């Protein structure tokens, strides 16, 4: 990559973040993380054993090397701001980095994030010294408000979690990118590598993928495919994409063709 991803002053070579849910086995997850080249791995706090006791059947943290990856605890499952803040503080007290992927989605059917509770929790967590990466609807106004309170990124969804529908919010994502003062991470809904490339071509700084890799017949192979697509999309964005035209335009001008 021509330039690193910088979040809260920390540099990352990879612009692909991975989630850890839905993998068929811990070994499949570990292999996919390695194949992807990722440096940021999200872990749902409800799947993490924070008691200090060893339990390989219950604790996803047993299988994520903190020396190799930044463990980004997420508050998935929190119903409101108070619960999200409590989970974040519990993770920090257990020794996890004070980096939090803030997720509050009380709706069990569509898992859409609650904008009001997310903003409320972000304000409190930033004051508490957390590096906050909030998962949000692709709402440019909310994205600006979150940046104003000091979040380290904004993470608009491409489509609902696990839907694999790609970037159905591309127009809103484009506005968020245009107005962003912090990195924009497209999160949720990316089902195939071309979706990741599209997000990067729109100007996103990074993408986060989980389901599409975890449920693949070969998670490691799919992780490599997403890594290459992410890099290709970012490179294309940096080189500058051509304008779209309404009419055809010949690649080889016909003026003077075969004239002696």
């Amino acid at each position: 990559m021509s330039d690193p991803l910088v979040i809260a002053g920390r540099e990352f070579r990879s612009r692909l973040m991975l989630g850890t849910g839905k993998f068929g086995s811990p070994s499949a997850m570990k292999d996919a993380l390695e194949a992807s080249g990722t440096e940021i791995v999200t872990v749902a706090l409800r799947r993490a054993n924070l008691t200090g006791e060893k339990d390989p059947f219950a604790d996803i943290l047993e299988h994520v090397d903190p020396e190799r990856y930044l463990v980004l605890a997420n508050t998935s499952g929190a119903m409101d701001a108070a619960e999200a803040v409590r989970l974040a503080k519990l993770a920090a007290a257990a020794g996890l980095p004070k980096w939090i992927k803030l997720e509050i989605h009380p709706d069990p059917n569509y898992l859409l994030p609650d904008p009001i509770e997310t903003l409320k929790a972000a304000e409190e967590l930033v004051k508490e010294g957390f590096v906050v990466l909030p998962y949000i609807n692709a709402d440019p106004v909310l994205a600006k408000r979150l940046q104003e309170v000091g979040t380290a990124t904004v993470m608009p969804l491409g489509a609902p979690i696990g839907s694999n529908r790609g970037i159905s919010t591309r127009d809103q994502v484009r506005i968020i990118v245009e107005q962003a003062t912090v990195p924009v991470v497209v999160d949720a809904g990316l089902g195939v590598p071309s979706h990741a490339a599209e997000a990067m071509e729109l100007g996103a700084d990074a993408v986060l993928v989980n389901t599409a890799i975890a449920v693949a017949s070969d998670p490691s192979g799919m992780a490599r495919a997403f890594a290459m697509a992410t890099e290709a999309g970012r490179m294309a964005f940096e080189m500058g994409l051509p304008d779209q035209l309404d009419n055809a335009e010949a690649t080889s001008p016909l003026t003077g063709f075969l004239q002696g």
Side-chain angles (χ1 to χ4, degrees), residues 139-250:
D139 180 345
V141 176
L142 176 60
K144 288 187 70 175
R145 291 290 303 275
L146 287 163
Q147 292 172 91
E148 289 167 359
V149 303
T151 61
T153 68
V154 288
M155 303 181 74
L157 58 80
I161 292 173
S163 66
N164 300 321
R165 284 161 41 190
I167 307 178
S168 60
T169 57
R170 60 179 56 82
D171 291 335
Q172 297 97 311
V173 169
R174 188 177 287 110
I175 296 171
I176 291 172
V177 167
E178 178 185 317
Q179 298 179 339
T181 57
V182 297
V184 177
V185 183
V186 174
D187 176 20
L190 306 184
V192 294
S194 60
H195 294 159
E198 180 183 3
M200 302 305 290
E201 289 170 0
L202 287 172
D205 297 279
V207 293
L208 194 153
V209 182
N210 188 173
T211 299
I213 292 174
V215 304
S217 59
D218 179 359
S220 293
M222 187 63 76
R224 285 192 293 272
F226 266 96
M228 289 187 287
T230 301
E231 185 170 347
R234 178 65 185 186
M235 185 179 297
F237 173 74
E238 291 182 349
M239 295 303 100
L241 301 176
D243 294 330
Q244 295 184 5
L245 304 177
D246 293 329
N247 300 316
E249 183 175 289

Side-chain angles (χ1 to χ4, degrees), residues 40-114:
I40 301 178
V41 177
T42 67
V43 174
L45 288 170
R46 66 176 181 229
R47 298 180 64 223
N49 178 7
L50 302 179
T51 65
E53 300 176 356
K54 302 294 184 181
D55 184 354
F57 295 101
D59 190 4
I60 194 68
L61 292 173
E62 289 289 324
H63 308 285
V64 179
D65 182 359
E67 298 297 322
R68 185 168 187 173
Y69 308 107
L70 170 65
V71 177
L72 180 63
N74 74 63
T75 62
S76 175
M79 302 297 286
D80 54 29
E83 185 175 4
V85 170
R86 181 181 62 81
L87 285 170
K89 290 181 176 180
L90 180 63
L96 292 179
K98 291 189 74 173
W99 287 55
I100 289 291
K101 182 189 174 192
L102 177 59
E103 294 188 50
I104 302 175
H105 39 73
D107 173 20
N109 293 320
Y110 298 103
L111 302 178
L112 295 174
D114 184 320

